[in-house]
Amino acid sequence: MDNKTTNILIVGVGGQGIILASEIMADVFLEAGFDVKKSEVHGMAQRGGSVSTHVRFGPKVFSPLIKEGEVDIFMSFEELEALRYLHYLGPKSTIILNRQRLNPPAVSLGNEAYPEGAAEILSRRAGKFKGIPARDLALQVGDVRAVNIILLGALQPFLPISEKIWTENILSRFPAQAQKVNLEAFELGRSA
Amino acid sequence: MNEKRILLSGNEAVARGAYESGVKVAAAYPGTPSTEILENIRAYKGIYAEWSPNEKVALEMGMGAAFAGARALVAMKHVGVNVAADPLFTMAYTGLRGGLVLVTADDPEMHSSQNEQDSRNYAKFAKVPMLEPSDSQEAKDFTGLALELSERFDTPVMLRSTTRISHSKSIVLLKEPAEQTAEPKLVKDPLKFVMLPANARKRHPVVEKRMEDLSRFAETFPENRIEWGENKIGIITSGISYQYAKEVMPEASYLKLGMVYPLPQELIRSFASRVEKLFVVEDLDPFIEEQVRAMGIAITGKAAFPLCGELTPALVAKGLKGFSPLPVDEISRNLPARPPIMCPGCPHRGIFSILSKLKLYVTGDIGCYTLGFLPPLSAIDTCVCMGASIGNALGLDKALGEEALGKVVAVIGDSTFLHSGITGLLDVAYNKGAVTLIILDNHTTAMTGRQDHPGTGFTLKGEEAFQVDLVRLAKVLGVKHVKVVNPYQLAATERVIKREVKRPEPSVIISQAPCVLSRRERAVTGKPFLVNSEVCTGCRACLRLGCPAIMWVKENENEAGGKKRKGRALIDHFLCNGCTLCEQVCKFSAIKETNGQ
Ligand code: SF4
Ligand code: SF4
């Protein structure tokens, strides 16, 4: 990682908590002493449409957008959405996939089929691959919304940033009564 | 002084810049990607901040504040500048007393817009200077610089952002607000501020002289800076394009423009003379390119970079180095699309399911309800700009007469109606249009994230305010037939729509129900509905509502358990908001409410 910028692409469906995940990431990288940029598209994307967020950190970052073919870490909150961004993957990308399916309208209506085999396709193209049933784990800790924190937990071992910086940032974002659940979620993600 | 480094979006940084540089009055109408500027200014003490009904009023009120000597910020999305263009052009003549910055957030790629016009043309057209930041730090600093320039040169100053500046985060160094600027006061200066022809004729040469002064100033403006690298390639650029170019070709020489209008001609000439090949990297129009070319300098711009859509690092690499961007993977290309879609339980869905069923020609407008265009509802036939639904419907009526009667209806949201629809309805009433307008009144500006407006009873600061009464408003404009409907009652609403569209007179239907995301009110129970799989015949009537909570489950003969159906409907109880629409459209009573879990 040294002098190079690390490129993280996070994708999924509006409403899955992707924005919060990317906010935490960006703050953690800042806290760890890096230059950071992050870009996302609001607006129409919020009504359950596809969402993608680019996060980049390193000694000096220019573009907030990642170039196709140069993603180091790819985190997808949803299987179909993961397949939309294959051309962003680098030759050795680390892939973290939430094993969750959300039907887009044409699939709900029965007009198109949900693609099969996302995990297989991705693991074949990945340097390292981690598939996680984050939604089930979130239900296990008692809060469906914790999917994003679980995925951040899964990300932590791949980055040179201490666990403490992550957990402190997560704690700072939740009211007292929600802190325990989210710390548990983070731990569960780490060990998944 | 305690200096803090934090991550801010471009919009948050503009808000912070307003605070640090002593802005007293800020106004805007929400519009992606500019909305968060005012939402963030709201929190700063000492700034009066408001949602104005539209961008023209916002700019006029900002101007009034600056007439008093206060510093003012007015923000809008690119198409908002069209609405505010009238005061803008004459403001260049009057000048101001306090500083005024007009922030425009352009949307290359049209992530959330109906066109991708390039606002830099407005700076040239209206004869006002324009700054363009390339990250959040500059977004903050340039807001302050714009106000200083505004006061120094007695002119409004435009600050141009783009989606990738407004909605990208980067590190910003915070400062505390500078010493207070001069107290505003009432000072008469009619020769300067009353633009009668006689006065305006005297002001025009002032404007031209000011542009000359600004051009000279641009030559030494520190934010127009040269970064020398190799002299083989020189790149003139600004805004987000600068970051992309630096990313893909850090070794080149750069002329990075902080002020994109007027251009520093001497600086450009000397930069050009010292590099072998000159490029200009800019989003959208060849704005810098054409001016450089007019100076007789050879430069490569749109011949290498696309005119449509936003630039990306890959597109910039292609233009500068000839590297082709990686093609979209075969697998990715064949995936089902995932467009945004109206929320489960959205009050608009009932109206659009009726309009779809009645196969009406629907003139549409700007808001969440534009999503009524998408299948399976497919019930929007036009969408142009804020308020256009009404004028469009009147034009159809006047061109087609009897032919259009009973076949056309206009739809507009409450916020959009108050922004630009009132005058359209006035035209309908005044000129006896046989037009039916449905106002989709969900008590908010939903599309941009639920902002208040004059119809909600609250201000940007959350204070209670007078709530305009849409029924009375339509009546005083001259519409005799005004009906209020509950969009969750399909049969009753359908009867009203059928009757009103046939009326050879102006009529208004107000569909009243709050946005399901509203924090203040609730019209739906939130208790999920359930499809009885025994009773469901697979007729798909509920699926035609396009509710994201309802999905189709295919079945083969065995699975259908002897039933003559190809599949059945299933409701996702996590998504369902309990709006009852599917229950109403199911002819077999297969859908029933649950007790909540
Ligand atoms: S935000 Fe409100 S108005 Fe927009 S689609 Fe959702 S429910 Fe409808
Ligand atoms: S009641 Fe039916 S139409 Fe309404 S939100 Fe639930 S599933 Fe959708």
Side-chain angles (χ1 to χ4, degrees), chain B residues 344-346 349 527-529 545 547-550 571 575-583 591:
Chain B
C346 173
R349 180 167 285 108
K527 286 187 194 161
F529 278 59
L545 289 169
C547 172
I550 311 178
I571 292 176
L575 290 177
C576 173
N577 260 317
C579 78
T580 77
L581 289 190
C582 54
E583 182 192 28
I591 303 179

Side-chain angles (χ1 to χ4, degrees), chain A residues 47, chain B residues 341-343 345-348 368 371 442 446-447 515-517:
Chain A
R47 308 281 167 278
Chain B
I341 174 165
M342 284 179 213
C343 304
C346 173
H348 302 329
C368 280
L371 299 174
N442 61 1
M447 184 82 246
C515 168
V516 291
L517 301 181

Side-chain angles (χ1 to χ4, degrees), chain B residues 354-423:
Chain B
I354 295 166
L355 300 182
S356 170
K357 178 176 164 197
L358 300 179
K359 300 197 166 55
L360 293 174
Y361 187 103
V362 182
T363 59
D365 229 293
I366 310 281
C368 280
Y369 45 93
T370 317
L371 299 174
F373 163 78
L374 297 171
L377 294 167
S378 309
I380 295 262
D381 295 282
T382 70
C383 170
V384 183
C385 64
M386 297 287 285
S389 58
I390 308 174
N392 288 171
L394 181 60
L396 287 165
D397 167 50
K398 295 300 179 190
L400 298 167
E402 284 283 300
E403 174 66 15
L405 190 65
K407 296 185 191 142
V408 179
V409 67
V411 296
I412 193 169
D414 47 340
S415 190
T416 308
F417 176 69
L418 295 172
H419 175 289
S420 280
I422 301 171
T423 43

